[in-house]
Amino acid sequence: TMASIRGALGDLVNGGGDTYREATKNRGGDSGSRKSSPLGSRSVVMIETDRGASWASGVVLNTGGDAGGREQGRALILTNAHVVHPSAIAAGGDGKGPKVNAVRIRLPGSGDDDDGSSEDSRSSWRDATCVYVSRGALDVAVLAVELSPADAKRLVPVRVRSSSREDFDETSPGAPVAVVGHARIGPNAVHAGHVDGSPAVYPGVMSAIVRRTNRRTKPGAATRGSKGAHMYRSTAPPAMYQTTASVHSGASGGAVVCPRHGTFLGLVTSNARLGTDGSVVPNLNFSIPASLLEPLFAAADAKKVKDMSLAFEGCLDDDEELRSIWSLRDPAVSGAGLVSKL
C-alpha cells in the first residue's frame, strides 16, 4: 500500500504520471491554437433540457466550420436518445411519449478555461436542436449547435481509438477506464458559481464485455507451426461494455475513455437499479462500444450535408440480438430484475 502511495505522489510531483502526460502532450489541439484538457474536459459537454428541468452529458463529434475556421460552423454532439426523448424506442419506450422541448449545451469556458478568463457561465450556453434519434436498439441521439469560430475553438472532438492498431489492452476485462460526465452536479450549481462546469472523471475498470454471437475475423500473429502463414483470430464484436466506474444521473451521454491515451471507448448509457425500490446497484453500468458508433462518426464527417437527419438515418445496426442485449434484464430472474434506469 505504501509503495502505491509513494508512486502516486511521485507521479503528481512529476506532472501527473503517464496518464496525465499522454492526455496533455498534444495540448495545442488540431491546429496548434486550441487548448485541450486531460481526459476530455473539452470533449464532453453539459446538456440542459427544458430550461433546467434536467441535464445530461454529450460527446463532441466535430466542431464544424471551414478548414480555416473563418465561417459559422455546426458542431455535432453525441448523447443518449432518452436525454432528448425519454420514451424513445431506443430507450425502451414506445416512442409515443413527449419529447424534450428545449435543449442547450454548455461550451467549456469561465472557470474551466485554461487561460483564466472570467467569462460569465451563463454566456457559455448555446441552443441546440436534435437532428437524430435512433429508432433501433442503441440508445443514441445527435444534437446540432451553431457555433462561431471563437465558439468552435472551445470544443475538442473526441478522439476515437484507431482501428489500424491493436487496442485489445484498452478494452479487455480488468483494463483501467474512466467515465467522463456531468453526474449529480447540474446547471444550477454552475450558474451559482459552486462549480466551474468541467465534467467529473470517475475511474474504474472494464469489468465485462458482452459480445454478439455472430463472429468476425481480425488479423493476428501467425499460428504455431503455420510456417509464417497469417492467422486470423476469430472474435465476436462487442455489443456492450460493463465498467465499475461510478455512474449517476446526469452522466447519460458521457464518455468512457482510456485513461492512458484519452481515446473514446464507449458512450455511457445506463446504470442499473434493483427491483421497484429503485436503489442503484453500485459499480455496475453499461455503455455502447465505440465500434458500434463508427457509422455515426462517418456521417458526422460527411461534407456539404444540409439535412443531417438524412445523413444519420439508418446508419446504426439494429437486430433482435442487440435489442435483447440492451433490454438490460437479468434472464435468470423472473419478474423485476436488473432494470435500466438512469
Side-chain angles (χ1 to χ4, degrees):
T1 301
M2 288 307 301
S4 298
I5 293 174
R6 284 194 297 268
L9 291 175
D11 283 345
L12 289 174
V13 171
N14 293 324
D18 291 341
T19 297
Y20 183 86
R21 285 191 290 272
E22 287 288 344
T24 58
K25 66 182 180 180
N26 294 320
R27 293 182 65 84
D30 295 339
S31 64
S33 61
R34 284 192 309 191
K35 297 179 180 179
S36 60
S37 299
L39 296 182
S41 66
R42 292 180 177 272
S43 301
V44 178
V45 297
M46 182 181 291
I47 298 173
E48 180 190 73
T49 59
D50 283 342
R51 298 176 177 83
S54 62
W55 72 91
S57 306
V59 173
V60 180
L61 293 177
N62 63 27
T63 57
D66 65 355
R70 296 180 296 272
E71 297 179 358
Q72 184 89 358
R74 176 179 54 195
L76 296 174
I77 309 296
L78 176 66
T79 188
N80 291 137
H82 72 258
V83 170
V84 294
H85 191 357
S87 68
I89 295 175
D94 58 9
K96 298 178 181 180
K99 299 179 181 180
V100 169
N101 294 318
V103 183
R104 299 195 303 169
I105 67 115
R106 183 185 180 276
L107 302 180
S110 189
D112 48 345
D113 267 343
D114 291 330
D115 59 7
S117 66
S118 58
E119 181 179 6
D120 182 1
S121 64
R122 294 180 184 273
S123 67
S124 297
W125 293 91
R126 302 290 183 269
D127 291 333
T129 58
C130 183
V131 296
Y132 171 71
V133 176
S134 172
R135 296 188 180 94
L138 300 180
D139 189 356
V140 171
V142 177
L143 305 176
V145 56
E146 299 297 325
L147 298 178
S148 68
D151 287 341
K153 291 180 180 180
R154 298 163 68 178
L155 296 175
V156 176
V158 70
R159 186 157 56 94
V160 183
R161 60 195 181 98
S162 172
S163 59
S164 62
R165 64 182 178 84
E166 180 57 72
D167 287 306
F168 180 78
D169 289 340
E170 291 185 2
T171 56
S172 58
V177 297
V179 165
V180 184
H182 293 277
R184 306 299 296 176
I185 299 177
N188 290 336
V190 176
H191 294 328
H194 298 308
V195 293
D196 63 11
S198 300
V201 178
Y202 302 90
V205 299
M206 183 73 70
S207 54
I209 300 175
V210 181
R211 298 186 180 276
R212 306 183 70 170
T213 56
N214 56 307
R215 307 183 72 82
R216 64 182 180 184
T217 57
K218 291 178 64 176
T223 57
R224 182 180 301 176
S226 61
K227 298 182 180 181
H230 283 288
M231 178 192 75
Y232 279 81
R233 186 179 66 246
S234 179
T235 62
M240 174 192 290
Y241 289 151
Q242 178 183 324
T243 80
T244 64
S246 296
V247 168
H248 298 279
S249 297
S252 293
V256 179
V257 301
C258 169
R260 178 172 294 274
H261 303 297
T263 48
F264 175 71
L265 302 178
L267 185 72
V268 178
T269 301
S270 73
N271 55 21
R273 303 194 184 196
L274 277 174
T276 58
D277 63 353
S279 59
V280 175
V281 181
N283 305 112
L284 173 62
N285 58 82
F286 310 95
S287 59
I288 301 172
S291 58
L292 288 182
L293 302 174
E294 288 176 358
L296 288 179
F297 282 87
D301 290 336
K303 304 299 182 182
K304 298 180 179 180
V305 177
K306 293 183 179 180
D307 190 344
M308 293 305 303
S309 61
L310 296 179
F312 288 113
E313 194 61 42
C315 66
L316 291 181
D317 288 341
D318 181 33
D319 54 41
E320 287 302 318
E321 185 178 36
L322 271 181
R323 289 180 181 273
S324 175
I325 291 172
W326 277 101
S327 66
L328 289 176
R329 292 181 180 270
D330 187 347
V333 178
S334 60
L338 291 176
V339 182
S340 168
K341 185 178 182 183
L342 182 58

